[in-house]
Amino acid sequence: MLWWAGVILMAVGETGNFAAYGFAPITLIAPLGCMSVTGSAIISVMFLKENLRASDLLGMTLAFAGTYLLVNFAPNITQDISARTVQYYFVGWRFMTYGILEILIFCILLYFHKRKGIKHIVILLTLVALLASLTVISVKAVSGMITFSVTDKMQLTYPIFYIMFIIMIASCVFQVKLLNQATKLYHTATVVPINHTFFTISAVIAGIIFYQEFLGAAFLTIFIYLFGCFLSFLGVVLVTRNREKEHLPQSYIDFGHVPGKQTLDKIQPDSNGLSYGTLPDGSDSTKSPSGEKKEV
């Protein structure tokens, strides 16, 4: 029952995230992913009884401060995303140049990943981020055209809607595949902050180039917005920092006290200690087959 409740809540959250792209700029929605990380940290303390560390509190504070700056200094624009608008942006020289560069970089990184067998986390998550830029562009286009169809004129009959829908599905599928590879090779606490940072940067660049969201913005507004992004990145790093060390297996097994038996507190000593590999009685010698003691 609890599992189904979690699945339903995730579905509702992702639906709301999808709908938000139809009403707000990408440069506002994408960086707010830091709230999911801080929310997960709070839930883990409440339900999983994990320790609340000082770095968690500091990270949450920085993430909230960054979110405040993002909300107040992100582009305050309202765009009616119609099919004609998407078509105009899609064939514009800005996106065509950006698309060619992105495809070139993606192919080079994919070559090193597949052919050369390089599985470095930066390469994997850069591939994810490059796909994410297409995802946010297509998600905003699809969500915006659906919203425009509901509020004004039907847009679902235009071919560009289905082109964007296919791009959205395909980019999401390949993102999940690459993210699964990254989480198999590296700990989640390492993947999450890097992926959040790369995704946000890629999404913001995509929003600026495709939808021209910072067009005409003042330098101070852009600077404070970027500072808010930096605070959110730093907050996510602090919340996820050293999380993997809390779940490492113990270096010994404690069987406790067994009545009538002489047991040691640590039956497997520290591998770095001088007593590692000795007999349970603490001696440093063993018996040879002839009965003589040999020094280990």
Side-chain angles (χ1 to χ4, degrees):
M1 184 65 182
L2 187 62
W3 184 85
W4 278 109
V7 170
I8 293 171
L9 289 174
M10 286 180 62
V12 172
E14 291 304 318
T15 302
N17 190 37
F18 173 80
Y21 280 99
F23 297 95
I26 294 175
T27 48
L28 173 60
I29 301 299
L32 295 183
C34 65
M35 289 293 96
S36 64
V37 178
T38 56
S40 298
I42 295 172
I43 291 173
S44 66
V45 172
M46 295 175 60
F47 293 97
L48 302 180
K49 308 302 180 184
E50 292 190 4
N51 295 327
L52 183 64
R53 308 167 302 174
S55 61
D56 295 336
L57 293 174
L58 179 59
M60 292 177 192
T61 302
L62 292 175
F64 287 134
T67 301
Y68 175 81
L69 295 177
L70 290 170
V71 170
N72 284 276
F73 290 93
N76 187 17
I77 58 174
T78 56
Q79 287 181 313
D80 292 329
I81 306 299
S82 64
R84 293 187 181 278
T85 302
V86 175
Q87 287 176 352
Y88 173 77
Y89 289 145
F90 193 77
V91 299
W93 68 268
R94 293 182 180 86
F95 179 69
M96 295 299 290
T97 305
Y98 173 75
I100 292 171
L101 289 174
E102 182 170 291
I103 292 172
L104 182 62
I105 296 172
F106 186 87
C107 290
I108 292 172
L109 293 177
L110 193 62
Y111 170 79
F112 282 107
H113 174 58
K114 292 292 186 181
R115 295 294 183 181
K116 299 297 184 180
I118 300 176
K119 301 183 183 299
H120 195 277
I121 188 171
V122 173
I123 291 181
L124 285 170
L125 295 184
T126 302
L127 290 170
V128 173
L130 292 173
L131 290 172
S133 65
L134 296 178
T135 302
V136 294
I137 288 172
S138 56
V139 165
K140 183 171 178 62
V142 171
S143 179
M145 283 187 277
I146 292 175
T147 303
F148 197 88
S149 299
V150 173
T151 58
D152 198 325
K153 183 181 177 181
M154 177 59 66
Q155 303 293 305
L156 307 186
T157 57
Y158 290 87
I160 191 66
F161 174 82
Y162 299 98
I163 292 173
M164 286 298 184
F165 185 80
I166 293 171
I167 292 174
M168 179 182 71
I169 298 299
S171 60
C172 285
V173 169
F174 284 106
Q175 273 188 85
V176 171
K177 184 178 179 180
L178 290 168
L179 269 177
N180 283 337
Q181 291 183 27
T183 52
K184 286 179 181 178
L185 295 172
Y186 302 93
H187 196 277
T188 307
T190 305
V191 174
V192 168
I194 300 175
N195 182 56
H196 170 71
T197 303
F198 285 11
F199 169 82
T200 302
I201 293 172
S202 179
V204 168
I205 293 173
I208 292 173
I209 292 176
F210 191 89
Y211 293 103
Q212 304 175 22
E213 293 182 352
F214 268 108
L215 188 65
F219 173 78
L220 182 61
T221 300
I222 298 174
F223 176 80
I224 298 177
Y225 171 84
L226 294 177
F227 183 67
C229 289
F230 172 75
L231 290 180
S232 69
F233 296 158
L234 186 58
V236 170
V237 170
L238 289 175
V239 169
T240 58
R241 185 174 64 94
N242 295 332
R243 282 284 179 185
E244 69 274 13
K245 294 182 180 180
E246 296 182 359
H247 304 286
L248 289 176
Q250 297 293 330
S251 59
Y252 64 90
I253 305 170
D254 188 2
F255 282 161
H257 299 284
V258 180
K261 298 287 184 180
Q262 183 180 1
T263 58
L264 300 175
D265 290 338
K266 297 181 180 179
I267 70 169
Q268 181 180 340
D270 184 7
S271 60
N272 295 322
L274 296 176
S275 62
Y276 185 76
T278 59
L279 294 175
D281 61 2
S283 65
D284 291 336
S285 61
T286 59
K287 285 186 177 182
S288 65
S290 61
E292 298 178 356
K293 285 190 176 181
K294 286 185 177 181
E295 294 297 324
V296 178

